[in-house]
Amino acid sequence: QVELVESGGGLVQPGGSLRLSCAASGSISRFNVVGWYRQAPGKERELVARSDIIGGTKYADSVKGRFTISRDNGKNTGYLQMNNLKPDDTAVYYCYVNVRIYTLIREVWGQGIAVTVSS
């Protein structure tokens, strides 16, 4: 059983910053992948950023240079630092993790956290 706790969302003005956190708990032996996806009203869920255990990262073109994904493997926690936020960044952000529990691989989604960018 893996549980995810997301935090850090909220309302921010354009140009502002937020930092999202995603903490995974359970019998995790390896924190393979952590990622952030988002879904805006009327749109499909899309990848924002993801980080794998060997240090590889991937970003959506729309957030490159503004968002930074990071991780603390010792705490099984991922972070998304979002700077220079724009109204188009308004969405529900979902954390995704791929972890190893004993010999099994589990993929888990968070419940989502709202980010609203508005003046």
Side-chain angles (χ1 to χ4, degrees):
Q1 187 81 5
V2 177
E3 293 189 358
L4 297 182
V5 176
E6 300 160 313
S7 61
L11 173 65
V12 65
Q13 292 186 343
S17 298
L18 285 173
R19 188 191 195 208
L20 304 182
S21 298
C22 173
S25 62
S27 300
I28 297 170
S29 56
R30 193 169 69 180
F31 191 53
N32 291 328
V33 176
V34 60
W36 293 93
Y37 292 72
R38 68 186 180 187
Q39 187 166 18
K43 295 186 177 181
E44 293 185 354
R45 189 174 298 188
E46 63 175 358
L47 171 71
V48 177
R50 61 182 280 152
S51 167
D52 62 42
I53 197 168
I54 61 172
T57 58
K58 182 176 181 179
Y59 293 92
D61 288 342
S62 60
V63 307
K64 285 180 181 177
R66 300 188 298 122
F67 291 11
T68 302
I69 190 168
S70 61
R71 53 194 290 157
D72 185 332
N73 294 329
K75 296 181 178 179
N76 295 327
T77 299
Y79 306 95
L80 185 68
Q81 177 67 43
M82 304 185 293
N83 297 329
N84 190 22
L85 282 158
K86 304 176 180 181
D88 284 349
D89 295 318
T90 295
V92 176
Y93 284 69
Y94 296 90
C95 177
Y96 160 86
V97 299
N98 176 303
V99 298
R100 187 175 72 186
I101 300 176
Y102 304 112
T103 60
L104 302 177
I105 299 297
R106 287 288 180 261
E107 296 181 307
V108 184
W109 288 89
Q111 63 182 11
I113 189 166
V115 171
T116 302
V117 184
S118 175
S119 55

